[in-house]
Amino acid sequence: MSLHSELGVLAGAGLRLANRIASPLDRLAAGSGVRGSSAVFVVGLPRSGTTLVYELITQAFELAFLTRAFAYSFGLPNISTRLTRRFTHSPAAHYRSDYGRIPGRFSPAENHVIWERWFPADPVLGHYMPADRLASDARESASRMLDSMTAIAKRPFVFKNVYFTMSLPAVLRALPGARFVVVRRPLESVCASVYRLRATKEERWWSVRPPFIEEVAGADAFGQSIFQCVRTSQILEREMRSLPEDRCLVADYEDICAAPRAFLERFDTWANMSLERRPGCSIPDSFDARTAASLPSADRARIGAQIAMLLSDRHRYLERVDTQAGATEGLTAGQGS
């Protein structure tokens, strides 16, 4: 590990400790009067278009969202919501991002770390969490936080969280009012985009971790990228089938790019939350959809062959995931605070 990486790990550990120590103060700023809050979660594979969908929704509708400030004060969600509330009513339209990061201090941000206390990563299962692993006090604590933040913001929240992509039933169990926009993009394009990022940024690993990534620890960035995308998609597709149909809106990235306003009308009807439109919001007629076609044909063929191999092994992989989840069934995760 490089010195820069080591410093990053130390800084992250220090930030988590500071937030844990300060978190009791946050209760003094809690909101009240809201119970069983509804919220929308934008999920999907990394590089699938979730950031674009997140920005479109926050541009079009009067919904609350997390800003970059929460990345530093995630243990103080009530205080942070109060401090940023007035800055989130008219977010600037950018429609560009640096691998998920939208420019602007008060622009919509992911901040998955705010959920880590209830949905921690597992050494073997990664970011996949079976619904029955959530402790009851964790469910109550997560629900209280959302209720409080919603009461402070005086609007429902929309969150983007690709780390929840494999754990939709667990999220729904903790937050019964949750709804999910699942963004889909051709698997070949997603794999190509993740691999391009890994090669460009020389990242050892990036974003969501499906179960058993230790098995590809010795693989190159190409093999790890394909494993990450295919295995995450396999768990996502299975977990979606266990949810009520009205809780998931499946949206194709290329369709959204072709007609973003049509997608927003569809979202509004599906959400059924009596959402107010933001006055003067900026919604383009279309976006350029990026595909894997820009890759050399040899790279596309290589990606296709690797995807096919992992798809053929789907049933065995999911059985192993379930066996591992059963082996850790007695270990409830995400104790409340």
Side-chain angles (χ1 to χ4, degrees), residues 69-282:
F70 286 81
Y72 306 99
S73 57
F74 48 85
L76 306 169
N78 295 312
I79 293 174
S80 298
T81 302
R82 290 187 185 279
L83 291 176
T84 61
R85 178 175 54 189
R86 69 187 184 93
F87 298 105
T88 60
H89 281 279
S90 299
H94 295 281
Y95 299 118
R96 60 184 174 85
S97 64
D98 182 14
Y99 295 108
R101 182 167 176 163
I102 301 171
R105 185 177 303 173
F106 298 108
S107 295
E110 183 166 3
N111 294 322
H112 66 90
V113 69
I114 199 172
W115 303 99
E116 281 185 354
R117 73 183 86 168
W118 306 293
F119 298 89
D122 181 86
V124 180
L125 294 175
H127 291 109
Y128 167 60
M129 179 180 286
D132 58 7
R133 289 195 67 193
L134 272 175
S136 59
D137 63 330
R139 299 197 299 269
E140 294 169 3
S141 178
S143 182
R144 282 199 307 271
M145 184 193 78
L146 179 60
D147 286 344
S148 178
M149 292 173 66
T150 302
I152 294 168
K154 295 182 172 58
R155 293 169 290 164
F157 265 86
V158 57
F159 304 95
K160 173 202 162 189
N161 195 331
V162 298
Y163 292 82
F164 278 169
T165 297
M166 295 180 291
S167 304
L168 306 189
V171 176
L172 187 60
R173 188 175 186 188
L175 306 169
R179 296 172 179 270
F180 307 98
V181 177
V182 181
V183 186
R184 280 181 174 161
R185 186 182 179 191
L187 197 51
E188 182 186 58
S189 296
V190 173
C191 290
S193 186
V194 171
Y195 173 52
R196 189 181 295 114
L197 177 144
R198 293 284 306 276
T200 302
K201 290 185 171 288
E202 298 182 351
E203 295 276 357
R204 187 172 183 274
W205 190 270
W206 179 75
S207 193
V208 64
R209 288 187 284 136
F212 307 128
I213 67 166
E214 72 279 359
E215 296 180 1
V216 293
D220 58 13
F222 175 84
Q224 291 182 355
S225 299
I226 309 304
F227 180 93
Q228 175 188 30
C229 297
V230 175
R231 295 312 194 193
T232 299
S233 70
Q234 289 170 338
I235 295 177
L236 166 63
E237 295 299 327
R238 184 184 70 169
E239 298 302 291
M240 282 178 59
R241 289 196 289 270
S242 68
L243 297 180
E245 288 186 6
D246 64 341
R247 291 307 180 95
C248 285
L249 175 66
V250 178
D252 291 324
Y253 167 74
E254 294 175 354
D255 291 343
I256 295 166
C257 289
R261 294 173 186 170
F263 160 72
L264 290 170
E265 293 296 336
R266 183 179 169 219
F267 169 82
D268 193 13
T269 301
W270 164 80
N272 194 27
M273 297 167 68
S274 301
L275 300 176
E276 295 183 23
R277 294 276 182 162
R278 288 194 193 276
C281 65
S282 174

Side-chain angles (χ1 to χ4, degrees), residues 32-102:
S32 61
V34 175
R35 293 291 183 272
S37 302
S38 297
V40 174
F41 290 85
V42 179
V43 300
L45 300 184
R47 309 300 298 153
S48 65
T50 53
T51 303
L52 174 61
V53 170
Y54 188 28
E55 187 168 11
L56 278 171
I57 291 172
T58 53
Q59 270 294 309
F61 302 104
E62 287 287 356
L63 287 162
F65 54 85
L66 302 181
T67 69
R68 197 174 299 169
F70 286 81
Y72 306 99
S73 57
F74 48 85
L76 306 169
N78 295 312
I79 293 174
S80 298
T81 302
R82 290 187 185 279
L83 291 176
T84 61
R85 178 175 54 189
R86 69 187 184 93
F87 298 105
T88 60
H89 281 279
S90 299
H94 295 281
Y95 299 118
R96 60 184 174 85
S97 64
D98 182 14
Y99 295 108
R101 182 167 176 163
I102 301 171

